[in-house]
Every structure is written in C-alpha cells, then in structure tokens.
Amino acid sequence: MPKTEVPVQKNEYYDLTFEDLTHEGAGVAKVQGFPIFVQNVLPGESAKVKIIKVKKGFAFGRLMALTEESPERVEAPCPIYKECGGCQLQHLSYKGQLDFKQKQVENVLSRIGKLDLDRITVHPTLGMNDPWNYRNKAQVPVGEREGALVAGFYQQRSHEIIDMQKCLIQQAENDDVVQAVKEICSRRGIRAYKEETHKGWLRHIMVRYGQVSGEMMVVFVTRTNDFPHKTEIIEEITSRFGQVKSIVQNINIKRTNVIFGDETNVLWGEEYIYDSIGDIRFAISARSFYQVNPEQTKVLYDKALEYAELTGEETVIDAYCGIGTISLFLAQKAKKVYGVEIVPEAIEDAKRNAELNGLNNAEFGVGEAEVVIPNWYKQGIKADTIVVDPPRKGCDEALLKTILDMKPKRVVYVSCNPGTLARDLQVLEQGGYETVEVQPVDMFPQTMHCEAVAKIVLKEETDA
Ligand code: SAH
C-alpha cells in the first residue's frame, strides 16, 4: 500500500491553521484533507506543530508555537483546568464560545443533516450573563492519598483521582458540602473504593442543590450496603448544613465504571428534594435526571414552549420526559400532555410533580419512548405536537417512524448533541417535515457541550 496517502510524518514540523474543535476541545487542522488534532489551539489560530502520532485516518500534533493568536483567546481562570478536563473552553472568551456553538450547529445541520441553511435560521446562542458557578449537581469519584480521602476527578488517561477543593462551574454550596463530607468521612476512617482490587467502600459522592428552594441532597455511592459510622456521619452533616433535606445511599456492587448501582435507600430525611423552574415546583429523587443549569433550563423550556405554539386545544406528547419538567411546562398551555420516560423513579417523580402543581391534564408512562409511543398510537392517541428531548444518542428510528405515521403538526426537538439532532432532522425532513429554526442555548458554559432546540413543522401546514 503506498505510504503517500498520509500527508504528514511523525516527528516532522508543520505550519497549520486551525478550523474547528473536537468534542474534547482539541484544535483541528487539515493537511490535504487529513485531520490533525492539537491541544490548546483555537479555531482561527495558526501554529507550528510537531506531529507526535500518526494513525490511519488522522494524526496528533503538539503545539510548539502559536504564530497567529485568536482575538478570542483568554487566560483560563481555573488553576486545574488542564489536568481536570471537565471544561474544554475556558481559554476561549465567552462570546467566542457562544459563536462557536452556533457555528457548530450550523455545520452539522449542513454536513450531517444535508439541510439547506438558506431556509433554516440558526439563531445566535443564548448565553448566561455570568457563565460560572452554574451547576446544581456535583458528582465526584472518591480515592485515597496518604491515608486521607480525596475526591474530584480522574487524572486524564489514568485511574488516579485528583483532589478538587473548588470547581469554578459548580455552585459554591455543592463544593462546600462535598468538602465537608470528604473531611467527615476521612476523620471516621472511611475507606475509598479501589477499582484495581474491587475493595474499599465509598465510590462516589453526589450532591444536588435546588437553587430556588435552597434544599440539598447528599448521595453516597458505596460498594456494599453496610454504612460504617452511619449515625455519627449523618448527625455531623445535618448539624453543619441545615439545607440538607435528604441523605441517600446507592449501592453499586459491580466492578464497573458506571457510577450508580440498582439499589437506592434513603438514610435520613426525605426521598427527594424540591426545586422550582418558573412557576412549577418539582420533587427530584436521587436517580432522576434533572437539568444541571437551572437558570438556562428556564430559557430552554421557554423556547421549547414558544416553538410548541400551544393554544390550549392541543394533545401533546413529551418523549424522554424525565421527571416531567417540560411536560408540566406544556401542560399549563395544552389540553392534554402525555409524558414517557425509561427510568421508573423519574416517572414516579413526574406523577408527584403533576399533583404538586395541580396539573391534572398530564399522564405519564414508563418505558422506551420507541415502544410506548407506537403503542399509544395504536390505542388511538394522536398528538398535535410532539416534544422530544433524547439523550446524546438521539431518537430511536422506531420513534421517528411513529412520528412520521402520526403526523403531528409540530415537532419540537430539544437536543444535547447537535450531531444526532442533524441526523434525526434529516429523517423528519425526508418524511414531510420542515425545520424552521434552531435555537442553541448555552446550558454548559466553559465546556464543549452544546444544547439546541429546533422547531419543525409538517409541510402541508406551511404549503396550505
Ligand atoms: N426532558 C427531561 C429529561 C431529558 S434527559 C428534562 O429536561 O429534564 C433524557 C431523558 O431520557 C432521561 O431522563 C433518560 O432517562 C431518558 N431516556 C433515555 N433513553 C430513553 C428511551 N429509550 N425512552 C424513554 N426515555 C429515555
């Protein structure tokens, strides 16, 4: 096979100009179409690069010197930015981040979705006024160093846990509780779980904070279902933090890097904490999905509601509904809402939340959206509007097919992965729908994560 197919060579130097970023935040430059990935460079920048690894379809390079710097480059404020890897964009100005996310959505819509950007508006990303300290959930792996517990993040490409005192995108309340739990447990001789030996006990600490209610939940993820020094540890946490309303233990006996196990027990207080988004109050239990950026969640849901254009007469389906957050937003303006979600605890929360808010026009079903919605359709449930908010892998094909059969007038697609959004929009477009506009909303400032909501209408409606 001719070697000339790869246009760069290991240990050689090249002058490159960067066009894009990978999902991990590395700069992407191309040499005769062949992609080179380099850390710590931004789109629009040029640099001298040494090639350090050549693979079949791409290569990795090391930044030797920047020859042209982006005007949007800034000093990353976090001292552990490079080691942590949790944020990827701190060295890009916030305006630069918002522009980048808008462009990213445009790029995938045209490249993956083959959609015509002349007829679809991709709006500028809606960002935060203060894009720091926004996360309402901390979830940290626990390890040991010199006899004491440490908790924070895995050093990149290793299983070593680096201790973190403070995270700049985390709400300070969460950092405080994580620090205290670590210290209290350390003092009581609690041992951290060790992946290599599958011994030890404490695997993860999760803390959730209801920004509006001020209520907090602490979750201990442990290898076994015992709890050494339980009474003393609980007593110390609750006496120091009056906001803690719920302490929960999740048991994960498996040798796995999946965080949670199947069994969850309340150790103290409530099974859930409360929080509000807009006028709606939510009960949130340990295993339920709840958006991590409360301020931007309101922005996102308001946009979804606007795109749904409800008059009060519609039947709406909310697929991938979690604890019914979007469903209940919609229920305020629709005749009837059906929500579906795969996690049974989340559906329990959703039902409780409908009751809590006096919304008796919402009904919820447990199961895979791609199974439950086709069944509903067979039973004669027909939606005027369908809202989908799937995980990163996007909508299942069977669900898209049911949407095409059911022909709701509107589809509102809330997406945390522009790539799968673009793929699914293409299917809907080929089936008679038209994407009208897409609004990126910055739910995850300082990171590469990009959220967007799309308004899609059935074509006959616009042709009529
Ligand atoms: N709309 C909610 C949740 C969105 S996150 C909110 O904004 O809070 C996506 C949700 O999809 C998660 O709750 C996850 O448990 C659920 N999920 C994942 N795969 C699913 C499937 N095949 N069918 C239904 N729900 C699924």
Coordinates of all heavy atoms in Angstrom, one line a residue, residues 289-291 301 318-323 325-326 340-343 367-370 389-391 393, ligand 1:
F289 N -33.1 12.2 36.4 CA -32.4 13.3 35.6 C -33.1 14.6 35.9 O -34.3 14.8 35.9 CB -32.5 13.0 34.1 CG -31.9 14.1 33.3 CD1 -30.6 14.0 32.9 CD2 -32.7 15.2 32.9 CE1 -30.0 15.1 32.2 CE2 -32.1 16.2 32.1 CZ -30.8 16.2 31.8
Y290 N -32.2 15.6 36.2 CA -32.7 17.0 36.4 C -31.6 17.9 35.8 O -30.4 17.7 36.0 CB -32.8 17.3 37.9 CG -33.5 18.6 38.2 CD1 -34.7 18.9 37.8 CD2 -32.8 19.6 39.0 CE1 -35.3 20.2 38.1 CE2 -33.3 20.8 39.3 CZ -34.6 21.1 38.8 OH -35.2 22.3 39.1
Q291 N -32.0 18.8 34.9 CA -31.1 19.7 34.2 C -30.1 20.3 35.2 O -30.5 20.7 36.3 CB -31.8 20.8 33.4 CG -32.7 20.2 32.3 CD -32.0 19.8 31.1 OE1 -30.7 20.0 31.0 NE2 -32.7 19.3 30.1
Y301 N -36.6 25.8 28.2 CA -38.0 25.4 28.3 C -38.9 26.5 27.7 O -39.9 26.2 27.1 CB -38.4 25.0 29.7 CG -37.8 23.8 30.3 CD1 -38.0 23.4 31.6 CD2 -37.0 23.0 29.5 CE1 -37.4 22.2 32.1 CE2 -36.4 21.8 30.0 CZ -36.6 21.5 31.3 OH -36.0 20.3 31.8
D318 N -44.7 14.3 25.3 CA -43.3 14.7 25.7 C -42.5 13.5 25.8 O -42.7 12.7 26.8 CB -43.4 15.5 27.0 CG -42.0 15.9 27.5 OD1 -41.1 16.0 26.7 OD2 -41.9 16.3 28.7
A319 N -41.7 13.2 24.8 CA -40.9 12.0 24.8 C -39.6 12.2 25.5 O -39.0 13.2 25.3 CB -40.7 11.5 23.4
Y320 N -39.1 11.2 26.4 CA -37.9 11.4 27.2 C -38.1 12.5 28.2 O -37.4 13.4 28.3 CB -36.7 11.7 26.3 CG -36.5 10.9 25.1 CD1 -37.0 11.2 23.9 CD2 -35.7 9.7 25.2 CE1 -36.8 10.4 22.7 CE2 -35.5 8.9 24.0 CZ -36.1 9.3 22.8 OH -35.9 8.5 21.7
C321 N -39.2 12.3 29.0 CA -39.7 13.4 29.8 C -39.0 13.6 31.2 O -39.3 14.5 31.9 CB -41.2 13.3 30.0 SG -41.7 12.0 31.1
G322 N -38.2 12.6 31.6 CA -37.5 12.7 32.9 C -38.6 12.8 34.0 O -39.6 12.1 34.0
I323 N -38.4 13.8 34.9 CA -39.4 14.0 36.0 C -40.6 14.9 35.6 O -41.2 15.4 36.4 CB -38.7 14.6 37.2 CG1 -38.1 15.9 36.9 CG2 -37.6 13.6 37.7 CD1 -37.6 16.7 38.2
T325 N -40.5 17.7 33.7 CA -40.2 19.1 33.7 C -40.9 19.8 32.5 O -41.7 20.7 32.6 CB -38.7 19.4 33.7 OG1 -38.1 18.4 32.9 CG2 -38.2 19.3 35.1
I326 N -40.5 19.4 31.3 CA -41.1 20.0 30.1 C -42.6 19.7 30.0 O -43.4 20.6 29.7 CB -40.4 19.5 28.8 CG1 -38.9 20.0 28.8 CG2 -41.0 20.1 27.5 CD1 -38.1 19.6 27.6
V340 N -43.4 10.3 28.5 CA -42.9 9.0 28.6 C -41.4 9.0 28.9 O -40.7 9.9 28.4 CB -43.2 8.2 27.3 CG1 -42.7 8.9 26.0 CG2 -42.6 6.8 27.4
E341 N -41.0 8.1 29.7 CA -39.6 8.1 30.2 C -39.2 6.7 30.6 O -40.1 5.9 31.1 CB -39.6 9.1 31.4 CG -38.5 8.9 32.4 CD -37.1 9.2 31.9 OE1 -36.9 10.1 31.1 OE2 -36.2 8.4 32.2
I342 N -37.9 6.3 30.5 CA -37.5 4.9 30.7 C -37.2 4.6 32.2 O -37.3 3.5 32.6 CB -36.3 4.6 29.8 CG1 -36.1 3.1 29.6 CG2 -35.0 5.3 30.4 CD1 -35.1 2.8 28.5
V343 N -36.8 5.7 33.0 CA -36.5 5.4 34.4 C -37.7 5.5 35.3 O -38.4 6.5 35.4 CB -35.5 6.5 34.9 CG1 -35.2 6.3 36.4 CG2 -34.2 6.4 34.1
G367 N -41.3 3.5 30.2 CA -40.8 2.6 29.1 C -40.0 3.3 28.1 O -39.8 4.5 28.2
E368 N -39.6 2.5 27.1 CA -38.8 3.2 26.0 C -39.8 4.0 25.1 O -40.9 3.5 24.7 CB -38.2 2.1 25.1 CG -37.0 1.4 25.9 CD -36.6 0.2 25.1 OE1 -37.4 -0.6 24.5 OE2 -35.3 0.0 24.9
A369 N -39.4 5.2 24.8 CA -40.3 6.1 24.0 C -40.6 5.4 22.7 O -41.8 5.5 22.2 CB -39.6 7.4 23.7
E370 N -39.7 4.6 22.1 CA -39.8 4.0 20.8 C -40.8 2.8 20.9 O -41.2 2.3 19.9 CB -38.5 3.6 20.2 CG -37.6 2.7 21.1 CD -36.7 3.4 22.0 OE1 -37.0 4.5 22.4 OE2 -35.7 2.8 22.4
D389 N -36.8 15.1 23.8 CA -35.6 15.6 24.5 C -34.7 14.4 24.8 O -34.5 14.0 25.9 CB -36.0 16.3 25.7 CG -34.8 16.9 26.5 OD1 -33.7 16.9 25.9 OD2 -35.0 17.5 27.6
P390 N -34.2 13.7 23.7 CA -33.5 12.4 23.9 C -32.1 12.6 24.5 O -31.6 13.7 24.5 CB -33.4 11.9 22.5 CG -33.3 13.1 21.6 CD -34.2 14.1 22.3
P391 N -31.5 11.5 25.0 CA -30.1 11.6 25.4 C -29.2 11.7 24.2 O -29.7 11.8 23.1 CB -29.9 10.2 26.1 CG -31.0 9.3 25.7 CD -32.1 10.2 25.3
K393 N -27.5 10.0 22.2 CA -27.6 9.2 21.0 C -28.8 9.6 20.1 O -29.0 9.0 19.0 CB -27.6 7.7 21.4 CG -28.8 7.3 22.1 CD -28.8 5.8 22.3 CE -30.1 5.3 23.0 NZ -30.1 4.1 23.6
Ligands
SAH1 N1 -36.9 16.3 29.3 C1 -36.3 16.0 30.6 C2 -35.2 14.9 30.5 C3 -34.2 14.9 29.4 S1 -32.8 13.9 29.5 C4 -35.7 17.2 31.2 O1 -35.5 18.2 30.5 O2 -35.4 17.2 32.4 C5 -33.3 12.5 28.6 C6 -34.1 11.5 29.4 O3 -34.4 10.4 28.5 C7 -33.5 10.9 30.6 O4 -34.4 11.1 31.7 C8 -33.4 9.4 30.3 O5 -33.6 8.6 31.5 C9 -34.5 9.2 29.3 N2 -34.3 8.1 28.3 C10 -33.2 7.6 27.8 N3 -33.5 6.7 26.9 C11 -34.9 6.6 26.8 C12 -35.8 5.9 26.0 N4 -35.3 5.0 25.1 N5 -37.1 6.1 26.1 C13 -37.5 7.0 27.1 N6 -36.7 7.7 27.8 C14 -35.4 7.5 27.7

